[in-house]
Amino acid sequence: MNILLWSCLLLVIATELLDALAAPHRARSTSAFLLRALPPLAVLGLIDALCGRPFIGLGVTLALEIVLVAGSTIKLRLLDEPLIFSDLVVLVSFLREPKFYLHALSPGIRTLLLIAALAVPPLLIWSVLHGNLAVRVSGLSLCGLSLVLLRVQLKSTPLMRRPALRADFRRHGLIATLVTYRHRWKNAPPLPPPPPCMAGQPLPTLLVVQCESFCDPEVLFPGAPPLPGLADARRKAMQWGNLRVSGFGAYTMRSEYGVLFGLDEEQLGFRQYDPFLSGEETRLHALPNRLAAQYGERIFLHPHDLRFYGRDRLLPRWGFTRLIGGEAFETAERAGPYVADRSFGEALSRLVESAVPPRLIHGVSMENHGPWARGRLGLETPRAAYEAHLRNSDRMLATLMNDLERMAADVLLVFFGDHRPSLPGDLDPEAGRETPYLMIRYVHGRPTDIAPPEHKITERTTTDITPAGLNAAILAALGIRQGETAAMPEQAPIRRTP
């Protein structure tokens, strides 16, 4: 028992020291002390209950804390955001696509992880087989008591009632922010249903193109040559500007969700960090569901594994009637490790050309996905590889516009970049996060600014908006009227995992 008490005391002291080391470094508030101390104690108790060896429990718990602190520090450096509770879902994505994440780790850290992966499991197995029964009983009691106290503390604490990730992390620390934000997310009240959509006239095909890491190089790299396709698209656009996305170098799903659902960060609250985790309960807000009466066929196209982010499960619930994933591109041209944007654009053109009656099509490209390692496309630097892919994306946009004009299409084309790339040493996350977006309304293959007056929707405008604002702009460009929101129906409490 004395050993267990000493291990608890050592763990609490080490936790305070380690948490203060998580960038940004500073002493944490005393008001969140229990929120920082109780989760590690619960983990210690659980491992002691399994292994029956208090020092192994202490060592494993401290190792897990070190991994969290290091992971948060690396993430802050690369993506300008500390670790958040929804990042734990990345563990599943890591097993499916490890190359997306391993590039962020130095060779030394990768070696340590490999050694740990080989050494820790045999040690734990030996401990489980030869552990002390009294330690196991004490550990089970510690785990249970810590979880009960943590639950009481989370329900009663006035801290972190509204999302302010940077300020809360700096003041209260990594562990307190992780557990409290998850609690707030899990217990967030349901959102009211959206108002119904009404169209007064037949709608054109709606083609939304979400282009991976697409940016204006003149903004990212002063002095870089312009993108001719983007420049031409802006001349033809009825509206264009900067999309104020919340993520840097990652978090495609935030931009994707904002455009599809039209819910801004204020409305989402603690859901904003990974809105796909709440995608089931907010499904009525999804554009395909809201426009189901206007578009009989609603297609989602992405030349990659649709299990990523759980799209294979969520997209049908959001109203898409047809999913086209990586299996449809097995023989397609590749540019680097992923399907070329040229093949992606050709697939979009074929869907538009055969769209009778009009369809809703949402395409998500893949070619310019990171990591941009040295040697990609045979180029010397990550920036050179990124810019080469960027120009491929621009050519795809130009070709797509030519195809829409050639086929005399009646289409609303919406094109946007999901986030800026993470290129340490070349891009500073604090310099900005905006990406380009544009909307072109084609009537019989002609952009509206040169269409006959009776087809002109509006004068061309330049404006900066959020992804949720782009959703509203799409509905406005389609001439959709929104009725009054219906009363919120009674519903059972929502279970959110993890």
Side-chain angles (χ1 to χ4, degrees):
M1 182 64 71
N2 288 334
I3 295 177
L4 184 60
L5 290 175
W6 274 109
S7 63
C8 290
L9 179 60
L10 288 173
L11 178 62
V12 170
I13 295 172
T15 294
E16 288 296 283
L17 294 174
L18 285 171
D19 204 292
L21 290 176
H25 315 298
R26 61 161 287 170
R28 309 306 187 189
S29 67
T30 56
S31 57
F33 171 73
L34 288 178
L35 293 174
R36 291 191 299 274
L38 289 171
L41 288 174
V43 173
L44 172 64
L46 177 62
I47 298 174
D48 280 351
L50 293 174
C51 298
R53 299 280 176 173
F55 290 115
I56 289 181
L58 178 61
V60 171
T61 305
L62 287 175
L64 291 174
E65 288 191 30
I66 291 171
V67 168
L68 285 178
V69 170
S72 183
T73 302
I74 292 171
K75 184 190 170 193
L76 185 67
R77 175 172 57 86
L78 293 177
L79 305 180
D80 197 35
E81 183 176 289
L83 205 64
I84 187 65
F85 73 94
S86 56
D87 291 327
L88 300 181
V89 180
V90 168
L91 292 174
V92 178
S93 302
F94 175 81
L95 295 175
R96 189 166 290 145
E97 294 283 359
K99 63 177 178 289
F100 287 175
Y101 309 99
L102 287 176
H103 76 284
L105 305 178
S106 67
I109 294 179
R110 290 183 220 172
T111 302
L112 288 176
L113 289 176
L114 178 60
I115 293 173
L118 294 175
V120 171
L123 180 62
L124 292 179
I125 292 172
W126 177 84
S127 300
V128 169
L129 295 176
H130 300 89
N132 183 282
L133 179 60
V135 173
R136 284 189 167 128
V137 173
S138 300
L140 190 60
S141 301
L142 174 63
C143 180
L145 179 61
S146 298
L147 289 176
V148 169
L149 292 176
L150 178 61
R151 183 177 179 86
V152 171
Q153 182 70 11
L154 286 170
K155 285 189 171 183
S156 62
T157 182
L159 303 176
M160 296 177 264
R161 292 287 184 182
R162 296 176 63 83
L165 181 57
R166 280 184 169 274
D168 288 336
F169 190 98
R170 182 181 294 274
R171 183 179 180 189
H172 304 301
L174 170 61
I175 295 175
T177 305
L178 284 175
V179 296
T180 307
Y181 271 49
R182 182 189 180 277
H183 175 77
R184 301 290 186 224
W185 164 76
K186 191 174 179 64
N187 294 279
L191 296 173
C197 290
M198 298 169 288
Q201 58 186 358
L203 299 184
T205 287
L206 173 58
L207 175 58
V208 181
V209 183
Q210 177 179 319
C211 196
E212 176 63 44
S213 302
F214 188 85
C215 296
D216 186 341
E218 294 182 284
V219 174
L220 296 187
F221 314 115
L227 297 176
L230 178 61
D232 186 40
R234 285 170 168 168
R235 284 191 293 269
K236 297 174 179 177
M238 58 181 288
Q239 179 177 320
W240 64 273
N242 291 319
L243 195 66
R244 299 195 300 269
V245 302
S246 66
F248 176 88
Y251 293 114
T252 292
M253 70 284 199
R254 295 180 186 174
S255 304
E256 185 173 321
Y257 183 95
V259 174
L260 280 173
F261 283 73
L263 296 170
D264 60 29
E265 293 179 1
E266 183 68 24
Q267 293 170 289
L268 289 172
F270 288 93
R271 300 177 180 92
Q272 66 184 267
Y273 300 105
D274 187 348
F276 275 37
L277 294 179
S278 307
E280 172 66 27
E281 68 183 79
T282 57
R283 63 187 181 277
L284 295 180
H285 291 263
L287 205 58
N289 275 331
R290 298 189 69 192
L291 298 181
Q294 289 79 27
Y295 293 104
E297 190 169 20
R298 302 173 299 279
I299 303 170
F300 187 93
L301 183 147
H302 179 45
H304 195 63
D305 188 348
L306 291 181
R307 293 175 298 171
F308 212 72
Y309 297 141
R311 286 189 178 108
D312 60 327
R313 174 179 52 85
L314 290 171
L315 292 173
R317 301 290 290 162
W318 293 351
F320 287 101
T321 59
R322 181 181 171 193
L323 309 183
I324 304 174
E327 68 282 353
F329 292 86
E330 289 181 354
T331 60
E333 175 191 1
R334 291 185 171 261
Y338 307 114
V339 172
D341 276 354
R342 179 163 61 180
S343 297
F344 168 75
E346 290 171 353
L348 291 176
S349 293
R350 289 192 296 269
L351 289 174
V352 173
E353 194 159 23
S354 59
V356 180
R359 297 167 166 168
L360 184 157
I361 304 167
H362 188 107
V364 179
S365 75
M366 192 66 194
E367 177 183 329
N368 208 5
H369 198 291
W372 297 274
R374 179 179 179 180
R376 182 163 164 173
L377 296 180
L379 297 170
E380 283 295 314
T381 65
R383 172 180 164 177
Y386 168 76
E387 290 191 89
H389 287 300
L390 183 60
R391 298 195 179 277
N392 287 345
S393 300
D394 185 66
R395 281 188 284 271
M396 178 267 290
L397 172 60
T399 301
L400 184 60
M401 292 189 296
N402 291 335
D403 288 345
L404 296 177
E405 294 173 10
R406 172 186 54 79
M407 64 182 73
D410 190 18
V411 174
L412 174 63
L413 170 63
V414 182
F415 186 95
F416 68 94
D418 58 353
H419 55 73
R420 291 188 178 188
S422 176
L423 294 170
D426 289 304
L427 285 182
D428 181 2
E430 296 184 359
R433 302 189 177 196
E434 297 83 5
T435 63
Y437 84 92
L438 57 93
M439 299 169 55
I440 307 176
R441 176 65 167 93
Y442 288 94
V443 178
H444 304 310
R446 302 175 67 189
T448 51
D449 63 333
I450 58 172
E454 62 269 21
H455 291 303
K456 191 179 290 291
I457 296 176
T458 182
E459 294 299 321
R460 292 191 299 164
T461 58
T462 303
T463 185
D464 295 349
I465 54 178
T466 64
L470 183 53
N471 175 283
I474 291 170
L475 293 176
L478 291 173
I480 297 290
R481 303 188 312 278
Q482 301 188 60
E484 294 186 4
T485 302
M488 184 66 186
E490 294 290 330
Q491 71 177 71
I494 296 167
R495 284 184 60 85
R496 299 189 177 98
T497 56

